[in-house]
Amino acid sequence: MENDLQFLPEKKVLHSAGPLYRITAAANGKLGVLVYFKGDGLWAVRRRGGKEDGGVDGVDVGIEWESEDGRDALLGMAWVGVK
């Protein structure tokens, strides 16, 4: 809330690691970054391009929330494309 972001379950995209969530600053709930939880960690999916089957094609990036750099990286991804 302090960063004016939404955390939404993603229903249209699949990932082999489990459920995906969208973190976005857009009021319409679009754009932003897809994330998932693996163990105690948060992983962001940086897209390289969409897949026709509704899957995810990208690079998974571990986010260390305790690290200021990790928070900045996630916040930057959540604000991409938002005006």
Side-chain angles (χ1 to χ4, degrees), residues 25-79:
N28 64 2
K30 297 182 180 181
L31 303 172
V33 63
L34 294 175
V35 299
Y36 64 92
F37 294 98
K38 183 176 180 182
D40 291 338
L42 178 68
W43 290 78
V45 179
R46 298 192 72 183
R47 288 191 168 215
R48 287 188 279 191
K51 279 190 160 183
E52 293 176 10
D53 63 359
V56 174
D57 181 24
V59 178
D60 296 358
V61 178
I63 302 293
E64 294 290 333
W65 189 251
E66 292 78 24
S67 161
E68 186 174 334
D69 291 339
R71 285 191 304 272
D72 289 346
L74 183 62
L75 293 174
M77 289 185 272
W79 278 92

